Amino acid sequence: MRIGSRSVSVPLVLAVVVLSTVATPRPASAAWPQFGRGIVTAAKTQQHSNAATDGADGAIVTWQDFRFPKINVFAQHVLANGDLDPAWPADGQALLTDSLAMATADGGQTSPIIVSDGAGGAIVAWQDLRSPVTETDLFAQHVLATGAVDPAWPANGTALCVIEGIQNGLTMTPDGAGGAIVTWLDGRPGADGTDIYAQHVLASGVVDPRWPANGIAVSAAAGSQEAPTIADDGAGGAIITWHDRRDDPNFDIYAQHVLGSGVVDPAWVVNGLAVCTAAGSQAFPTIVPDGAHGAVIAWTDGRFAATDHIFAQHVFGTGAVDPAWPANGRPVSDAADVETRPLLVADGSGGGVVTWQGFTTALNQLSLYAQHVTAAGVVDPEWPSGGRRLSLSEEQQDHAEVVSDGAGGAIVAWDERFQVMAQHVLASGLLDPSYPAAGLRVCDLPSSRGDPALAPTGGGGAIVAWTDTRSGVDLDIYAVQVQAVAPTGVPPATPRGFALGRPGPNPARGSVMLRFSLPREVPVRLAVYDASGRRVRLLASGTQSQGEHAIAWDLRDDGGRAVRAAIYFARFEAGGRVFTEKLATLR
């Protein structure tokens, strides 16, 4: 899933074309309506949704809502079976709970982004226009799994940055302890152009007192720094990347590491590590964690005249660029004439699957492609050298979103002529044979729809949310689950890398299943730790065979005592790699 901001304030306008070969999605159960579940169908317009997993194969969806005089931010919970959570308000939970503020807050609240809190709820952040003095501010709110706004948080949201000037372009990542780290583009007074800032909000709803008020300067170099995006470092901090115009008229790619303590990592270069400073412009980076405190970054690269291509690079948590990768990045593809808008998801083995939009003169259209870059810094030889084309449709494909399928592949959704389409690319580089070659139309109705959002589910599926016009009057938000369905008689693929799957159910009450895969027989170690780093339970230690494995944790410690309700971390070590998954327990 992309967790960046979306444009605001005007009703959605969709563009593009109808598909000749379509199929309806396979819902998770018969409870999912064939044409999608109405997440919100209240009066007036609701649009620009974002989604996060609830940890139990459902999703929490947030959007900007026009039902009041000012734009507000709402959220809703759809369960794995396709029902709306009956504990939540029918048309969503308002994240500003002061009714007067909802009706009168100057300018309203827009561009919500969302991450899971690891306990069935979510943290939502947004651009806020309530102050006539400070222009655009940033706020966040916590909605609980129960559907209530967290009473420990301020009724109208925690202020992340309320300084003069414009703050926008925010993205966010969980901090691993129920809070979140947010980064944004900042134009406060005194800035030379625009700078990159970040802030940490704790699970308690308080801005981390170790961090500076109104955010820490991630980069305040000369010139403009723009388009920040973020990945957690696995240790309570984050790695942030952006494109930067400090040295010449073209943009370059930089990155910086912010520690959980609220300081820029002193081992990293002040104002950011140069990830790529090749000729031409490099812009619009995307980032995923590598599972070992570093990150993989991809971007659009214009080093070759009159064209753009996709490049990627690996940075260590130490602040060094991986010397095993080419200086200034690995070319991911040069097949299309112009390649832009890359998006990354982690492959679970230290590399990533990159998707992008490619234009070719031969096809005279924008199509979507994907490629796998391994942790070793090479383009996966099992994938097509120019990337896997995700749809054989002759129509334009735009506004893509992507999430991991949990097994080294990815689910991608996009707009295509007033429709939302989806495709599943496997870890092998092949397209899922249960999906049509032209992509899966998620809702087979003639009305217009688009602007997809994604949340991953178990079994290689995803919940797709979109803005929908079927009412004929206002825009609403609908969602449906699409699944990966293995064709009958086809054996499961041999694991292609080391991977630790998402725990399930999560949150857990009685027990939780932990799954991992091995490409060969190796020694492994699987243990559960609490938030302080203390080992709670050792689940596996010794040699395991090649293939898929599942181990149940009964929510008891090494001494046989039931653990308390809290956040825990499953740590899996195999083949010289370390993987961590967060899980929550309930009592």
Side-chain angles (χ1 to χ4, degrees):
M1 145 189 85
R2 181 184 58 183
I3 48 178
S5 60
R6 303 203 177 163
S7 48
V8 295
S9 73
V10 294
L12 180 69
V13 178
L14 306 174
V16 244
V17 195
V18 188
L19 215 64
S20 57
T21 302
V22 299
T24 55
R26 293 155 296 284
S29 74
W32 279 91
Q34 180 182 4
F35 302 124
R37 172 68 66 196
I39 301 297
V40 55
T41 57
K44 303 293 180 65
T45 282
Q46 293 85 36
Q47 64 180 16
H48 299 314
S49 60
N50 263 297
T53 179
D54 66 358
D57 293 340
I60 298 177
V61 183
T62 186
W63 65 89
Q64 60 186 48
D65 195 297
F66 289 76
R67 74 183 81 171
F68 292 94
K70 302 294 183 181
I71 306 171
N72 294 124
V73 173
F74 279 69
Q76 181 60 280
H77 183 204
V78 59
L79 302 172
N81 67 3
D83 292 336
L84 295 182
D85 190 332
W88 288 54
D91 276 315
Q93 174 63 61
L95 298 188
L96 273 70
T97 55
D98 182 328
S99 58
L100 179 63
M102 289 177 61
T104 62
D106 187 34
Q109 294 73 44
T110 66
S111 305
I113 59 174
I114 186 169
V115 294
S116 171
D117 67 359
I123 293 175
V124 180
W126 64 85
Q127 295 173 207
D128 196 293
L129 306 174
R130 72 183 70 178
S131 171
V133 176
T134 57
E135 299 183 81
T136 304
D137 297 322
L138 304 178
F139 279 73
Q141 185 59 278
H142 183 208
V143 59
L144 301 171
T146 61
V149 169
D150 190 335
W153 288 51
N156 293 319
T158 293
L160 303 178
C161 181
V162 291
I163 200 167
E164 185 180 348
I166 295 176
Q167 290 79 41
N168 57 19
L170 66 167
T171 64
M172 177 167 56
T173 188
D175 67 359
I181 298 176
V182 184
T183 187
W184 65 87
L185 176 66
D186 197 294
R188 66 186 63 190
D192 178 7
T194 51
D195 296 324
I196 308 300
Y197 277 73
Q199 186 59 279
H200 182 205
V201 59
L202 301 174
S204 63
V206 175
V207 168
D208 191 331
R210 300 173 297 174
W211 289 54
N214 294 313
I216 184 172
V218 176
S219 176
S224 289
Q225 291 81 49
E226 301 176 6
T229 188
I230 189 169
D232 71 273
D233 66 359
I239 296 176
I240 299 166
T241 184
W242 64 90
H243 62 236
D244 194 299
R245 189 180 276 167
R246 69 181 67 178
D247 292 324
D248 57 47
N250 296 316
F251 285 111
D252 296 315
I253 304 298
Y254 280 75
Q256 185 58 277
H257 184 206
V258 180
L259 301 177
S261 59
V263 298
V264 170
D265 189 336
W268 286 54
V269 179
V270 174
N271 284 323
L273 169 72
V275 176
C276 179
T277 57
S281 262
Q282 291 78 41
F284 300 107
T286 175
I287 186 171
V288 291
D290 66 359
H293 308 303
V296 177
I297 300 169
W299 62 87
T300 298
D301 196 294
R303 70 184 68 184
F304 303 120
T307 188
D308 290 305
H309 293 297
I310 307 301
F311 278 68
Q313 185 58 279
H314 181 212
V315 297
F316 292 126
T318 59
V321 172
D322 189 337
W325 291 54
N328 286 320
R330 165 70 64 191
V332 173
S333 170
D334 60 1
D337 297 325
V338 178
E339 298 172 333
T340 60
R341 300 184 181 179
L343 296 171
L344 259 175
V345 291
D347 66 0
S349 298
V353 176
V354 191
T355 64
W356 68 89
Q357 189 178 58
F359 177 84
T360 58
T361 304
L363 296 175
N364 192 31
Q365 71 172 82
L366 288 170
S367 299
L368 292 174
Y369 295 82
Q371 184 60 276
H372 180 213
V373 183
T374 73
V378 299
V379 172
D380 193 329
E382 296 187 27
W383 288 54
S385 60
R388 173 66 66 189
R389 189 179 172 197
L390 298 181
S391 171
L392 298 184
S393 165
E394 295 181 356
E395 309 300 348
Q396 309 286 350
Q397 293 134 31
D398 206 354
H399 301 108
E401 297 286 341
V402 60
V403 292
S404 169
D405 68 358
I411 302 240
V412 186
W414 67 88
D415 290 351
E416 185 169 312
R417 197 184 182 187
F418 310 113
Q419 297 291 328
V420 173
M421 308 297 296
Q423 185 59 273
H424 181 203
V425 59
L426 304 172
S428 64
L430 299 175
L431 297 182
D432 187 332
S434 68
Y435 280 62
L440 179 71
R441 185 185 292 181
V442 303
C443 177
D444 194 11
L445 284 178
S447 57
S448 300
R449 58 194 54 80
D451 201 20
L454 285 174
T457 63
I463 290 175
V464 187
W466 67 87
T467 304
D468 194 290
T469 65
R470 72 184 66 181
S471 73
V473 180
D474 299 310
L475 302 177
D476 299 313
I477 306 294
Y478 277 75
V480 77
Q481 188 183 64
V482 295
Q483 290 180 287
V485 180
T488 303
V490 177
T494 300
R496 301 181 59 255
F498 299 98
L500 174 65
R502 293 187 300 273
N506 188 9
R509 289 186 182 274
S511 66
V512 60
M513 190 67 70
L514 299 168
R515 296 177 172 84
F516 58 88
S517 61
L518 301 172
R520 62 182 183 274
E521 183 177 86
V522 293
V524 306
R525 182 180 176 86
L526 176 63
V528 178
Y529 295 82
D530 65 17
S532 71
R534 180 183 65 88
R535 196 185 82 186
V536 175
R537 181 72 175 271
L538 178 64
L539 296 172
S541 179
T543 300
Q544 297 279 352
S545 62
Q546 173 191 5
E548 305 288 337
H549 300 264
I551 295 177
W553 178 38
D554 60 4
L555 308 190
R556 293 183 178 275
D557 65 16
D558 285 327
R561 297 175 292 270
V563 301
R564 63 185 180 87
I567 300 295
Y568 296 89
F569 297 87
R571 178 184 171 93
F572 174 59
E573 302 172 46
R577 305 200 66 79
V578 178
F579 304 89
T580 304
E581 286 287 339
K582 183 172 62 176
L583 60 98
T585 62
L586 303 174
R587 289 295 181 189

